[in-house]
Structures are given as structure tokens and as C-alpha cells.
Amino acid sequence: MHPLHDYLAKQLAEKLKARRVVVWYDPRREFGPFVDEVRGAPNTRGAAASVSLAGVAGKLAEYDGSFLELRTVAEPLTDGDEPEPLLLYVPGVRPDPKSSLLLELEKAGGTYDRALKWVARQVLRKRYTDGVIDEMLAPERVSYEDLARAASDTASAEPPSLLKGIFRDVSGNDALLAAWLVRDARDPDIEAKEATRELIKLVRSRLGLELPAGAPLAKLRSVTLRYVLGSEFRADLRCPAPASLDGIPSPATEKEQEAIRDLARRLRTMFADDYAPLADRVEAELGLRNARIQAEALGAIDTFRFEERALLTHCGELIANQRFAEALALVTEREHSFWLDRDIARKAQWEACRRMAELGVLATTVRAAVAKAGADPNAWVDAYTASDGWYRLDQAQRRLEAWVTNLDEEPSERPLGVVRRAYEDVCHLMAEGFTKALSRAHWAVSAGLHQTKIYSEVVASRPRPVAYFLVDAMRFEMGVELAERLPRVAEVGVRPAIGALPSITPVGMAALQPGASSSFSVVAQGGKLGARIDDAFLPDLAARKKLAAARVPKLVDLGLDELLSLQPSKLAKKIDGAQVLIVRSQEIDQAGETGFTFQARQVMDTVIDNLARAIRKLSTAGVEHSVVTADHGHLFFAVDRDESMRTDAPGGGQVELHRRCWIGRGGATPAGSVRVAASALGYASDLELVFPTGCGVFKAGGDLAFHHGGTSLQELVIPVLTVRLKGRESARPTSGPVTVSGLPDAITNRIFTVTLQLGQNLALFSSPLLVRPLLIASGRQVGAAELAIEADFDRATGCVKLSPGKATIVAFKLGETVASLRVVVQDPATDAELYRSPTDIPVRLGV
């Protein structure tokens, strides 16, 4: 037979295999010759013929003017549970879905009603381009026999496609057009083989564009490209198109417009590197960068580069005008724009907008809730620490500030200033409201866990050995994030505790010591402020270490940095026999107190990851149980406090002055402050304490962006994490499941990218794999993945889902300044290393 017969036979055979009975309507009697070919003999009226269609044996019954007669033939063949394949051919009749006498057979089986020209086009595309096919199908009375000859390899009214021979490495008309549009390498062949006429026909057939005859190929390409990109852009606009597009004809049909969209999409996906300069050239030719188009009118497709930049500006304006939800929706809609997936710096700017909008949305929500919070301090704490609580506002603020510090170009000043002010305003209202509620409740939060009871009620009850992490200045939201970054196999609990006042390190760290639950006071002795537990006065770290060593047998005390730096064998030796292991972390407070706000914002994220890393490392060394808590939280704003928020100290008999608290005797209570006797806090002391009621600070020197000591929720509510993580060997598998390419010779920017891909043995990876990419230096984590292009990315945990056979670009954010680092990829469930860069990569920021 011939290709047209074979294609149609295959179509019908697939229908018969799926439905058993197929009613084939041929209203124009176009397929009579095919039926004759299948039957192979004259039709016998009133009987079914045995036939074979593409290897499927069955029966053929034909309509000859009587549906009753056709049903009489069909019914004996369809009585069984599994009827023999039956094709009912009905020429000269259109299907009637309401009153057809064959309706039962159609419903039980299926129908076939393709037109001859549609079937022929699918077959002819193997040899011809659409423009040539259009001419072949143009005659009204083109017949089955005509099209059978055209489809045959041995006889044809037209020569086979010249273009298909030139573009033999691409498949399909759209792929051929795309390949021609992006590169002129095959123009000499097109001219030599006189295929320009066929090319013009193809453009007319697929896109509806009439190209000028006799024009050089370079001009034809330029005209076609302007037509495709200009038409896609114009159709996507939500306003009248600029006058510069008037010279580009409009597609006449929706089918042509759809073909234009498909071709433009193909250009961006198949020829991404070529598309960008071509689109830039068309954008310049059409003068679109200077066209007065409102950003709101730009559609969902970023055909041109200027659209992304205009929309980012618009997003900033939405944020500046406090239309945060609209801005967030815009960022979500645009996050996979072609231009962003190719320019990590631009994607980083959009990520900054996302974080600003998220902070703005939360600030609006929390502000409304604070206004209704009431006078019960327990209710305030519950609202702050609930799973969807107010703490998420602080989390969003930290994530924004940490991100902004790493951008080469800071976001627009106005929207950033608006969300920063919105956050500060809500913090001020929260602090004022909570302080008033505390005062009315006589400075007691009756419900929940108090800081002085953490050791006796939490640490002492854990199985030995147990690690007791004392993290200076870790606020509640950071504890929640730490829990999210631990392996999924870990048993983790997070609860709030109320810190001791004043919320400064000598007091808070002393409250975490053994014995604090039964005896704890804040006192002044020898001109120093400190805590007293029984007869022990604890003004500093040395005194606290001495107390802990005296009260806890088999105690080991070490810093977080030391723990992370120790080799596994040395760590095992150091903690051998320990019952309680105290791990101290001062990184957050040290970074905040240095006065270098910029550096502090960078460090805070890496501390969370390093705490998680330390817990995992200890579990491998045999310490399954950990408790993580803090001495106090903190308030941390983007810039120093304004002079209007600095308050004169009370004076009098001052013992100590901190930015958020004054401790002493006498003096005056400044406006916007509250005084409380130490005895009212349950301390056996004649001291008095004065706190700002809002977010203000005393004139105490230093950078006042980071501070603590006061009565805000952020300072007083601390996290208590209980963790059980069974030790697992973190050996690197030999199969190399993850490969990394694009490693830089040196890191010169805090945000940089690499490409991750599952290993070459794809048989092992038929489903996606979740990984956690990290930056490691001297055993510490100094950065993590912050963005992933065209891949599922969990911002909370920094995990990326890699798909088989697909490369994923990951953007790292370097959080600390180090001399060199390595890129590491972990399995987040087990901490097994799936990849480690073979050598250290030097860090040369600013180069």
C-alpha cells in the first residue's frame, strides 16, 4: 500500500483495539477508495467482510442506504461480552448525536470522523512543509487517489521538501522556522537549492505573514522575527499597542496567533542563548524601551527585556504604596520569567522584592492583630509563638535584611524604607502593648515555661548524654527556623520560654544554670551586676562555668566553633564519658554588638545552619539528645536608632546602663519608660530597673540597630528546642549521585551560581532527589542555597529538588567572610554527602 493508507489503517486499528466497535462517518464520501483497498473485493450488501487493519483482524460492515439493515448486520457481531473488532463505515451521512439509529453502538464503542485533508496533512508533513501542503490541499476536489500519490515515495505531484533536506537535524515546521530565525548559517544552502519560495510558503501557512518576494533572506528573517515577537507582545498587552507596532501586520486568525505564540516560546526554550540578543535588537528597532506603556498593562509573557525591568520598578512602587499583597502576587507571577532565569543578578532583585512584600503583608496582618490583643500577657505570648504567630514577622525581617546585604545593588530606597518603617512601627506597638500587659499582671507571665526552669524541667529529664546549647541572643523565630533545618528523621520539639529580666547576658545565662529553679536573684555586689544562685554570685562567664562544673558531674564545656572544627576522632575523645555537654554560641550577640550592622546581618543566618550542623555532628559522635535555648532574644533594625528614639538615662545611683535597660537606685523615670522594683520581679534585691516601653533606647553609646535588655516579645520570649537525632554515618557514597559544574576559580561576589545535576547513571535516579547545597569552610557552614532556577526550592530549609536528566542552576549566598570554602551537597534526610568540591575555592570579595 502507500503511506496514506498505512496511516489511516493505523488510526482505525488503535480505535478498534481501544473500543472494539467504531462507527466511521464519511459525509463527503472521501474515503471510499480506502475502504475498497481494505475490503479487497466488491461489497456484499447485508453482510460483513473480514478485514485486517494494521494487523488488527476484524469485520467491516457498510451503510448502503438503510440503518436498519446495518444494525441487523452488526447486532449478531456485538452480542458477546468481548465482541470481535467491528468497523461500521457510513458514507454520505453526518453524525447525529441525538437521534442516530447507531447511537447505542456509538456510545458503547466509539466514532471516527476525521476529514480527508486533515488525515493527509499529517502524512504529508513527513515529506513537505506546511506551505507546500497548503497548495496541494487547496483544490476543492482533491481526491484520496491524488493525495495517496503525493504521499508515496515513488510518485508525487510535488518534489519532496527542499527545506527538510537543508534542516534535516530538526523535526517539524516550527522547529525548522525557529532554527532559520536564530541563525543564518544555512542561508547559502537555501539560496543554492532555490528553497526561498518554499520558505515563504511555510511562513505564510504557519504564521499568516506575506513576505516580500525577491527580498534577500536576511531581510525575510528580520521581517519575520519582528512579526513574531511584535505580535506576541501586542497580543499580551492590556492596553493599545504603541504606534511603533503599527507597521507590523496583525494575524488574521486565532490559529495564526497561536502558532506565533508557540514559535516565540520555542525560540526561548530551544535557542535561549540566541533569543536574548535577537529580542534586544527587535526591542530597539521598535523603540519599545522608551514607549510610554504602563507596567500594569504588560501581559504575562516577557517577550522583551524592558518588560522585566519595568515590572520590577512597578513592583517597588506597589510596595512603596503599601500594596504589599499585589506586589507579592506580581513577584509570584513573574518568578520564572525568561529574563530572570538567565540573569541571577536580576533574579536576586526580584527576590528582594518578594521578601519586602512578604514582610509588608505580615506587618499589616500583625498590626491588626496587636490592636485586638487585650491585657493578658499570656495571650500576647501565645499570639507571638503560635504556629502562624507574630514571630513570623521577625523571621521575614531577618531574611530580608540578610538578603539585602549580599546584593551588588541595593533595592530601591523608597520601598525598602517603607517596609523597614512598617516593621519598626509594628515592633513599637507590640513592645508598648506587651509591656503594659506585663505591668498590669505585676510582671508575671503565669502560663508556660520560665527560663530558670529550663535546666531542671527540660535538660535534667533528658537521657544521658545530652548536649545543652546556650545560644547568646537567639530569638524565638530563629529557634523555629533551626528546627526546620534539622534532618527530617530527627524528633524535634519547639516551645517558648519567658526570659528573666533584664534580658541581658549575665542575667539570662545565669537563669539557664542548674539550681536556678530553686534560687535565683538579680543583685549588685562589689559594684557589679549579676545573678545569685544560692550563695554563688554569677557576674560573668567564668563564674557560671565554675557553678556548672560544681553541680553537674561529668560535664564538658566547649564553644560552637571549636565543636565544628574538631575532627570526629578528636571530638569523640573530648566528649568520652560526658553526661552533659554544654555548647556555647556567642556568634549572634558578638555580631550584633560589634557595631557592624552590615556584617551582623550576614552572620545571623549562618549561625542557625551551624547549630543544626553541630547537632548532627554530635549525633554521629553518640550524643543523640540535645536541648537548645538562649539567654535572651533581641531587636535588630536595619539602621541606627533615630535621635528621637534615644532617651536620657534615669540618673540616680546607676549600677549598669544598657541600651534597653537601666539598673540602679533612684533617679527619674524618663518619658516613654517604666520603672519596676527588682523585688516585684521576685528578686531578693533593692535594685530598681527602668525599661523603655516601646522600641526606644537609652543613650548608652554604640550602634543602636541591635539591642536587648528590654521587655519586648522579641527580647523576652526565647526558644527551647528538644532534639533526638540518632547517629548515622555520613559517608560519601561512591556512586556520585550529584555532579556540579560551573564552579568558579575564585568567589568574587557573595551571590554566585553553580549547576547541579543527578549523576550520569540515570537508571539509579528515575525520580527526583531532594538535596541541600551548602558552603563549608573549616568545618563550619558559611553559606547556603538561596535561589534555584526552574526547580522546586524550599526557602525555609534551603533544599532543592533535582529532576533526572535536568540541570538546575543554584544561587549560593556567602554569609561570612572566609579565605576559602568548598561547595558541598547533602542528603537532607541523612546528612550523607552527595558531593564535595575537590579543592578549596578561594574567596576574593571585591575583585
Side-chain angles (χ1 to χ4, degrees):
M1 288 297 175
H2 48 80
L4 183 57
H5 175 102
D6 295 340
Y7 178 85
L8 191 53
K10 185 178 179 182
Q11 289 265 301
L12 292 167
E14 289 174 354
K15 278 273 188 181
L16 286 169
K17 283 191 290 185
R19 308 297 297 179
R20 310 301 294 178
V21 177
V22 175
V23 181
W24 179 13
Y25 286 100
D26 180 14
R28 299 181 62 179
R29 300 179 182 272
E30 297 174 305
F31 293 102
F34 170 81
V35 174
D36 291 340
E37 292 170 349
V38 170
R39 193 187 325 105
N43 179 33
T44 302
R45 184 165 183 169
S50 296
V51 296
S52 177
L53 290 164
V56 176
K59 297 292 186 179
L60 169 67
E62 302 174 49
Y63 170 76
D64 197 12
S66 172
F67 280 110
L68 289 174
E69 181 180 68
L70 186 58
R71 284 192 58 165
T72 301
V73 173
E75 284 174 355
L77 302 173
T78 58
D79 279 345
D81 293 335
E82 187 72 15
E84 183 180 2
L86 173 62
L87 178 63
L88 302 174
Y89 177 60
V90 185
V93 178
R94 295 188 179 279
D96 185 350
K98 292 184 179 180
S99 57
S100 171
L101 292 177
L102 303 179
L103 198 57
E104 290 180 13
L105 293 171
E106 294 175 23
K107 295 295 184 183
T111 61
Y112 187 81
D113 58 358
R114 292 292 192 185
L116 174 62
K117 290 185 178 181
W118 184 93
V119 175
R121 183 177 291 275
Q122 313 314 308
V123 179
L124 293 170
R125 277 179 173 161
K126 296 178 181 179
R127 301 190 71 222
Y128 308 107
T129 51
D130 276 356
V132 173
I133 295 172
D134 286 347
E135 289 189 352
M136 295 168 65
L137 299 180
E140 178 67 23
R141 301 188 64 82
V142 65
S143 68
Y144 177 86
E145 291 89 343
D146 297 332
L147 295 173
R149 285 193 299 272
S152 299
D153 292 331
T154 57
S156 174
E158 283 272 353
S161 169
L162 298 170
L163 288 177
K164 285 184 178 288
I166 296 169
F167 292 89
R168 62 175 61 89
D169 56 334
V170 298
S171 176
N173 293 304
D174 286 347
L176 189 156
L177 282 175
W180 171 68
L181 284 171
V182 297
R183 295 172 194 148
D184 61 3
R186 301 187 225 209
D187 283 5
D189 285 343
I190 294 174
E191 291 174 345
K193 296 182 180 181
E194 298 182 355
T196 304
R197 177 172 171 269
E198 184 184 351
L199 179 63
I200 291 173
K201 288 181 183 179
L202 177 59
V203 170
R204 180 198 307 127
S205 171
R206 291 293 297 151
L207 308 177
L209 174 64
E210 194 68 54
L211 289 171
L217 285 169
K219 181 176 181 179
L220 298 182
R221 178 180 293 103
S222 180
V223 170
T224 305
L225 192 62
R226 275 200 304 273
Y227 174 73
V228 170
L229 300 189
S231 295
E232 181 190 50
F233 173 72
R234 178 170 52 200
D236 202 36
L237 279 177
R238 304 187 186 110
C239 69
S244 59
L245 271 71
D246 290 348
I248 296 177
S250 298
T253 66
E254 179 55 37
K255 182 179 178 181
E256 291 170 353
Q257 184 64 58
E258 184 179 348
I260 287 168
R261 283 193 296 268
D262 289 345
L263 181 55
R265 189 183 307 115
R266 188 181 292 265
L267 289 171
R268 286 189 287 271
T269 53
M270 290 181 60
F271 303 98
D273 291 338
D274 299 280
Y275 179 84
L278 291 174
D280 288 343
R281 190 186 74 202
V282 173
E283 177 187 310
E285 291 172 353
L286 297 175
L288 295 175
R289 192 172 305 173
N290 300 318
R292 295 183 177 180
I293 303 173
Q294 294 296 319
E296 303 96 308
L298 294 171
I301 305 170
D302 287 352
T303 304
F304 299 111
R305 192 188 300 270
F306 87 95
E307 296 181 75
E308 176 269 314
R309 296 178 181 272
L311 285 162
L312 180 63
T313 300
H314 177 56
C315 190
E317 291 169 352
L318 290 173
I319 294 169
N321 292 319
Q322 301 185 50
R323 294 160 62 182
F324 304 123
E326 293 177 56
L328 188 57
L330 178 59
V331 173
T332 302
E333 176 187 329
R334 294 290 178 168
E335 64 182 336
H336 295 304
S337 159
F338 168 83
W339 303 100
L340 296 185
D341 285 344
R342 295 185 58 77
D343 188 339
I344 198 64
R346 298 301 300 173
K347 199 172 186 70
Q349 290 291 325
W350 278 86
E351 180 64 18
C353 271
R354 173 193 290 281
R355 298 185 187 208
M356 284 190 282
E358 287 175 341
L359 179 57
V361 168
L362 282 168
T364 303
T365 303
V366 173
R367 186 184 187 106
V370 166
K372 304 174 183 177
D376 180 5
N378 295 292
W380 283 75
V381 173
D382 289 345
Y384 183 72
T385 61
S387 60
D388 58 347
W390 302 345
Y391 76 87
R392 296 179 303 134
L393 177 69
D394 300 321
Q395 200 169 65
Q397 181 254 2
R398 174 175 54 82
R399 289 173 177 173
L400 169 64
E401 297 299 344
W403 185 252
V404 167
T405 61
N406 292 284
L407 297 179
D408 290 337
E409 180 183 349
E410 190 167 280
S412 296
E413 185 175 344
R414 186 163 168 253
L416 187 58
V418 165
V419 294
R420 283 173 169 171
R421 181 58 183 270
Y423 173 72
E424 292 183 25
D425 287 348
V426 176
C427 285
H428 184 74
L429 291 174
M430 288 169 65
E432 282 191 330
F434 184 57
T435 301
K436 289 178 182 178
L438 278 175
S439 179
R440 291 192 189 102
H442 307 293
W443 302 96
V445 179
S446 57
L449 178 67
H450 193 273
Q451 188 176 34
T452 55
K453 296 183 178 181
I454 291 175
Y455 188 87
S456 62
E457 294 188 9
V458 182
V459 180
S461 64
R462 304 295 288 180
R464 276 13 183 193
V466 59
Y468 187 25
F469 285 79
L470 305 181
V471 186
D472 199 340
M474 182 171 70
R475 61 187 182 186
F476 182 77
E477 58 90 3
M478 300 175 82
V480 174
E481 187 154 314
L482 171 58
E484 293 174 341
R485 297 193 184 183
L486 289 169
R488 294 183 178 182
V489 294
E491 300 172 16
V492 185
V494 185
R495 61 189 291 195
I498 304 302
L501 281 172
S503 52
I504 56 177
T505 298
V507 173
M509 285 297 180
L512 296 172
Q513 299 303 310
S517 61
S518 58
S519 170
F520 184 83
S521 286
V522 175
V523 299
Q525 183 174 314
K528 291 184 177 180
L529 180 75
R532 179 179 287 131
I533 296 177
D534 293 330
D535 295 330
F537 177 58
L538 310 174
D540 52 29
L541 175 59
R544 296 192 296 272
K545 281 188 172 184
K546 183 178 178 181
L547 175 78
R551 295 191 173 220
V552 181
K554 298 182 179 179
L555 174 72
V556 173
D557 193 313
L558 72 166
L560 176 64
D561 190 66
E562 180 186 2
L563 168 58
L564 293 173
S565 301
L566 284 172
Q567 294 296 321
S569 59
K570 292 184 178 180
L571 175 63
K573 183 178 180 180
K574 189 173 185 67
I575 67 175
D576 183 36
Q579 294 298 293
V580 177
L581 174 63
I582 291 181
V583 182
R584 302 182 187 275
S585 168
Q586 295 178 288
E587 288 81 1
I588 298 171
D589 200 59
Q590 283 181 345
E593 296 287 2
T594 57
F596 298 106
T597 305
F598 183 86
Q599 181 181 354
R601 283 184 277 169
Q602 293 175 339
V603 168
M604 286 187 181
D605 268 3
T606 62
V607 174
I608 297 172
D609 286 316
N610 280 320
L611 288 168
R613 191 171 181 81
I615 292 170
R616 297 192 295 263
K617 189 170 184 177
L618 285 174
S619 73
T620 303
V623 182
E624 292 185 8
H625 296 273
S626 296
V627 176
V628 186
T629 190
D631 55 346
H632 54 75
H634 64 268
L635 287 168
F636 187 37
F637 300 117
V639 293
D640 201 351
R641 305 291 77 217
D642 186 84
E643 282 296 327
S644 64
M645 298 188 73
R646 301 185 189 212
T647 303
D648 289 329
Q654 176 177 303
V655 176
E656 281 199 16
L657 174 64
H658 296 262
R659 283 163 255 187
R660 291 277 293 162
C661 66
W662 173 92
I663 304 104
R665 302 173 184 88
T669 304
S673 300
V674 61
R675 182 182 294 263
V676 56
S679 59
L681 299 174
Y683 303 148
S685 171
D686 65 347
L687 291 172
E688 295 175 307
L689 298 91
V690 180
F691 307 102
T693 54
C695 290
V697 293
F698 293 125
K699 294 178 180 178
D703 183 344
L704 305 184
F706 173 93
H707 45 257
H708 55 85
T711 57
S712 71
L713 289 162
Q714 289 89 342
E715 296 163 278
L716 272 185
V717 179
I718 57 173
V720 180
L721 280 77
T722 54
V723 183
R724 184 186 183 191
L725 179 60
K726 292 186 177 181
R728 294 174 179 232
E729 183 60 40
S730 184
R732 180 181 172 190
T734 58
S735 56
V738 175
T739 62
V740 177
S741 58
L743 289 171
D745 295 329
I747 294 167
T748 57
N749 291 292
R750 289 194 176 273
I751 297 177
F752 66 95
T753 63
V754 300
T755 301
L756 273 56
Q757 193 164 11
L758 291 180
Q760 299 303 312
N761 188 356
L762 295 181
L764 297 176
F765 306 104
S766 57
S767 58
L769 179 67
L770 194 68
V771 300
R772 181 194 292 120
L774 306 170
L775 302 178
I776 302 295
S778 302
R780 292 185 301 112
Q781 183 172 331
V782 295
E786 291 283 348
L787 292 173
I789 292 177
E790 294 186 348
D792 289 340
F793 178 68
D794 187 334
R795 288 178 170 82
T797 62
C799 292
V800 183
K801 185 176 289 186
L802 302 182
S803 298
K806 182 180 179 182
T808 297
I809 297 175
V810 170
F812 284 107
K813 185 187 75 176
L814 175 59
E816 298 184 34
T817 301
V818 293
S820 63
L821 55 81
R822 294 203 186 198
V823 173
V824 173
V825 181
Q826 289 183 339
D827 178 344
T830 65
D831 273 355
E833 282 194 8
L834 308 177
Y835 172 85
R836 175 180 284 263
S837 54
T839 59
D840 283 355
I841 304 171
V843 177
R844 299 170 186 153
L845 299 177
V847 175

